[in-house]
């Protein structure tokens, strides 16, 4: 009994379909592996860095009230905060916040505008902080004493939440934070020194 040539055609088609499916699955797996390697190496989320690049005392408004002697010293501090995006993807950040502290007490705050920082780019955000007299009430004698000694120290804490999107579908939330200690001279009111620490929560 001879084999009918037409019986071989379905087998060849089936074999061709299986080979085509195998090639497609192999390519899909190869693309997935390449994307995974890129996500874990080249496109691995890196921590955005925040740094205070400029700090100046813009104005001072002292006030002495009578008959009860009460001294109020309003000081305005202008900061320029640099955000450095080290990722190969943009960093879209929401509204941030900067706090001003004196001896552990919050004496002022300022909002930071939201924005978008391109891949491997950076941006600067201004922050204007005023030491509010009512919050300084319990620390006013300490501030006056420090000022008379020639300098006083304030701290700033900045927090900027955002999101990094890699390869169009990998999303990482990040919060860039910085803490700075500023030593301000008196009576010239110049920033004598600043020490900053940066950290990011991914």
């Amino acid at each position: 009994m001879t084999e009918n040539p037409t019986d071989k055609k379905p087998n060849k088609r089936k074999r061709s379909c299986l080979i085509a499916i195998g090639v497609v699955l192999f390519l899909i797996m190869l693309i997935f592996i390449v994307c995974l390697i890129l996500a874990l190496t080249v496109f691995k989320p890196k921590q955005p860095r925040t740094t205070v690049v400029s700090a100046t005392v813009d104005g001072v408004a002292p006030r002495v009230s009578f008959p009860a002697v009460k001294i109020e010293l309003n000081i305005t501090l202008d900061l320029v905060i640099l955000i450095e995006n080290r990722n190969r993807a943009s960093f879209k950040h929401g509204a941030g916040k900067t706090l001003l502290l004196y001896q552990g007490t919050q004496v002022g705050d300022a909002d930071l505008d939201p924005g978008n920082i391109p891949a491997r780019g950076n941006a600067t955000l201004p922050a204007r902080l005023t030491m509010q007299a009512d919050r300084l009430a319990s620390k006013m004698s300490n501030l006056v004493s420090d000022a008379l000694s020639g300098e006083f120290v304030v701290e700033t804490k900045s927090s900027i939440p955002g999101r990094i999107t890699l390869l169009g579908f990998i999303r990482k939330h990040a919060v860039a934070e910085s803490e700075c200690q500023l030593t301000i001279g008196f009576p010239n009111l110049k920033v004598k020194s600043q020490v900053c620490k940066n950290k990011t929560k991914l």
Side-chain angles (χ1 to χ4, degrees), residues 100-177:
L100 180 64
L101 300 97
Y102 174 70
Q103 294 186 352
T105 299
Q106 181 183 332
V107 295
D109 57 70
D111 294 325
L112 301 174
D113 294 332
N116 189 57
I117 304 173
R120 315 288 284 185
N122 55 62
T124 56
L125 296 176
R128 188 173 177 83
L129 298 158
T130 299
M131 297 180 71
Q132 299 171 10
D134 56 336
R135 297 185 184 182
L136 267 172
S138 62
K139 300 285 184 179
M140 185 55 67
S141 60
N142 294 347
L143 180 60
V144 172
S145 177
D146 286 346
L148 292 176
S149 70
E151 63 181 34
F152 58 92
V153 177
V154 294
E155 296 177 1
T156 63
K157 292 185 178 181
S158 301
S159 178
I160 304 170
R163 184 178 67 188
I164 302 165
T165 303
L166 302 169
L167 301 175
F169 65 94
I170 301 175
R171 291 179 175 83
K172 278 283 187 179
H173 291 276
V175 180
E177 298 179 343

Side-chain angles (χ1 to χ4, degrees), residues 28-39:
I28 292 173
M29 184 157 302
L30 184 62
I31 293 171
F32 175 77
I33 291 172
V34 170
C35 290
L36 185 62
I37 291 172
L38 289 174

Side-chain angles (χ1 to χ4, degrees), residues 1 41 62 77 108 151 193:
M1 183 177 179
T41 55
L77 188 65
E151 63 181 34
S193 67

Side-chain angles (χ1 to χ4, degrees), residues 54-74:
S54 173
T56 56
V57 179
D58 181 60
V60 180
R63 187 176 71 180
V64 181
S65 60
F66 297 99
V69 178
K70 184 180 179 181
I71 302 174
E72 292 183 357
L73 188 63
N74 291 335

